[in-house]
Amino acid sequence: MLRHHATFGLLLALAAGKAAAASLLLTNAVIHPASGPALTNAALLVRDGRIAAVDAAAAGQADATVDAAGLHLYPGLIAPVAALGLLEIDAVRATRDTTEVGEFTPDVYAWVAVHPDSELIPVARANGFTHAQATPLGGIVRGHSAVFALDGWTIEDVAVNRAAALHVTWPPFQVNLTPRHAAPRPEDWKSPEDQLKERDRRVKAIDDFFSDAEAYAKAKAAGGESFAIVPAWEAMMPALRGEIPLFLHADELRQIRSAVEWAARRKYRAVLAGGRDAWRCAELLATHHVPVVFEHVFTLPARDEDPYDVHFAAPAALARAGVRVAFSDGTDRFGASNIRNLPYAAAQAAAFGLPADEALRGLTLYPAQALGVADRLGSLEPGKEATFFLADGDLLDIRTNVKRMWIAGREVSLGNRHTRLYERYRQRPASPAR
């Protein structure tokens, strides 16, 4: 029996090696590189899991050829700031692995909790998503998110970047003016003055925490055999050195300004996540080169005086100011299951002024850049990972269907729970006539 297992393992290894060395040529496609203009009747050549050529005349000997006439070729979509892989059914506590205990937990790494067999992953994949950012929730300094591929057997298989960004929830700046007698829970009521003090205390706590981390870094650099390693401070080092970005989660105007100005003062690489009111301080974001992961295209207007389309048009306003906008549905209870709908958020923004090529980049190249993986993902360029999909129409058209997909040069299935149920009930026997 052991011999049979060894032989089978050898065959698998040989097959894997052959698949890794395989080459593929896709011809006659409308190619949307994301990094440049679309190419009509173009070809894309793949070798060893990477893109070898993209142009109107790309050709060469290939182990397989796909005639993509009438189809559109796009880079794999990336879902930033997502609970995908960490959350299955919000109402079932055992399927929620999004939140750690404590307010300051920089040494939390979300990648170890990703569930590669989540039923929500194939659903997102079926609408063009090949990668997502698993984002920890809860607390103030939440911990580190991870970029993972939406195909693989284990967490080690799917993890692309295990520490893509450090996440900080900025304290809210709104003041609740409801009087005590009208509060739903009078025992928890706080005066406006107390709310302001609480806000200032939270902002100072964040500032002090990062100051302590920087002091630790200086003490470590000074050396000494007796220096004590502290895991929480060690986890902060990549963000302090600018190796990974700091995702600042903020929505309200004053909250955003405070977070961005704090990050600029400390010279951190910042990305704004949420960004409901980001359009109101677009110049500030552009000045400090802060990209926005916008989560509110379909959020109702926050103020009575806002027009109905305020959030539809917000990405266009940010883009006009020179801010790079990526799209997300956030990490709330429906965030994981709604990832498949992100192309429609980009399409809505395009209908309200965002250029179509910017909308595409907001689903591909800009998330890759924000997450530090643009050297391998986010666009169709020679040398990058062969991760892309074929669709039968414009990505921003709700009628478009994804037909085939490749991740790192390997074709993956588009089947999911939705398609299985469709096929099952489509073939249901007719009820006998009575």
Side-chain angles (χ1 to χ4, degrees):
M1 188 70 176
L2 211 57
R3 186 186 302 119
H4 292 161
H5 279 299
T7 303
F8 183 63
L10 178 60
L11 290 173
L12 281 178
L14 291 173
K18 183 177 179 182
S23 57
L24 173 69
L25 181 65
L26 295 97
T27 62
N28 302 317
V30 179
I31 298 181
H32 302 266
S35 57
L39 304 173
T40 305
N41 292 327
L44 183 144
L45 180 63
V46 175
R47 284 202 180 100
D48 300 325
R50 293 197 171 270
I51 298 172
V54 185
D55 56 55
Q61 295 296 322
D63 297 319
T65 300
V66 174
D67 184 358
L71 298 178
H72 295 250
L73 183 62
Y74 289 97
L77 309 185
I78 302 171
V81 188
L84 188 66
L86 304 177
L87 171 66
E88 197 72 10
I89 304 171
D90 185 71
V92 180
R93 178 63 186 88
T95 71
R96 301 198 311 266
D97 203 0
T98 57
T99 306
E100 189 56 81
V101 175
E103 290 194 324
F104 294 88
T105 56
D107 48 341
V108 164
Y109 292 87
W111 78 273
V112 299
V114 171
H115 179 44
D117 286 330
S118 167
E119 287 281 10
L120 302 179
I121 288 176
V123 174
R125 198 168 60 213
N127 211 26
F129 285 90
T130 59
H131 292 79
Q133 178 195 24
T135 306
L137 307 183
I140 297 173
V141 178
R142 304 180 179 182
H144 289 77
S145 58
V147 178
F148 70 99
L150 303 193
D151 180 65
W153 286 95
T154 67
I155 53 175
E156 291 80 9
D157 285 340
V158 303
V160 171
N161 188 343
R162 299 180 182 184
L166 180 65
H167 292 256
V168 176
T169 301
W170 206 254
F173 273 49
Q174 300 97 318
V175 174
N176 188 343
L177 300 179
T178 304
R180 182 195 293 270
H181 70 271
R185 292 176 57 87
E187 64 274 16
D188 295 333
W189 180 85
K190 291 182 179 179
S191 68
E193 293 77 13
D194 288 342
Q195 293 178 55
L196 291 174
K197 290 178 182 178
E198 176 67 13
R199 180 197 69 191
D200 293 343
R201 183 194 69 78
R202 286 177 172 271
V203 172
K204 186 177 185 303
I206 294 174
D207 198 51
D208 290 346
F209 189 78
F210 278 81
S211 293
D212 290 347
E214 291 181 354
Y216 172 89
K218 291 178 182 177
K220 183 180 180 181
E225 294 182 1
S226 61
F227 185 82
I229 297 295
V230 179
W233 298 142
E234 287 293 319
M236 299 277 288
M237 294 303 103
L240 297 186
R241 292 192 294 261
E243 297 169 3
I244 63 173
L246 199 61
F247 270 60
L248 302 172
H249 294 257
D251 280 320
E252 195 263 336
L253 176 61
R254 292 166 297 176
Q255 185 188 22
I256 293 171
R257 282 179 173 163
S258 172
V260 170
E261 290 168 355
W262 172 84
R265 186 173 67 253
R266 286 185 168 270
K267 296 181 172 58
Y268 295 151
R269 282 176 56 197
V271 176
L272 176 63
R276 187 197 68 201
D277 290 346
W279 62 276
R280 303 182 73 191
C281 57
E283 296 298 332
L284 173 69
L285 296 167
T287 298
H288 295 295
H289 307 289
V290 177
V292 175
V293 178
F294 192 68
E295 302 174 5
H296 295 284
V297 171
F298 292 117
T299 299
L300 291 174
R303 291 166 288 272
D304 292 342
E305 66 271 18
D306 286 341
Y308 80 95
D309 60 352
V310 60
H311 297 143
F312 299 160
L318 289 166
R320 284 194 296 272
V323 179
R324 293 178 176 179
V325 181
F327 293 94
S328 170
D329 203 53
T331 52
D332 64 9
R333 58 185 301 185
F334 298 117
S337 57
N338 281 345
I339 281 176
R340 66 184 188 270
N341 293 329
L342 277 184
Y344 314 136
Q348 187 76 357
F352 283 80
L354 184 68
D357 57 350
E358 285 291 296
L360 172 60
R361 293 185 190 113
L363 297 166
T364 54
L365 186 57
Y366 291 161
Q369 291 173 341
L371 295 169
V373 292
D375 60 330
R376 59 188 296 183
L377 300 170
S379 62
L380 301 178
E381 299 176 79
K384 288 196 175 184
E385 191 177 280
T387 296
F388 47 79
F389 63 90
L390 285 170
D392 61 6
D394 188 331
L395 176 66
L396 303 181
D397 188 334
I398 196 171
R399 298 167 297 180
T400 293
N401 299 294
V402 175
K403 293 298 185 181
R404 299 176 70 174
M405 175 181 285
W406 288 261
I407 296 180
R410 188 176 68 86
E411 187 164 12
V412 299
S413 169
L414 295 175
N416 57 79
R417 180 176 174 81
H418 294 188
T419 58
R420 291 195 303 271
L421 289 174
Y422 170 77
E423 289 299 330
R424 175 183 175 184
Y425 287 101
R426 187 174 70 89
Q427 299 175 25
R428 183 179 62 180
S431 300
R434 292 186 178 180

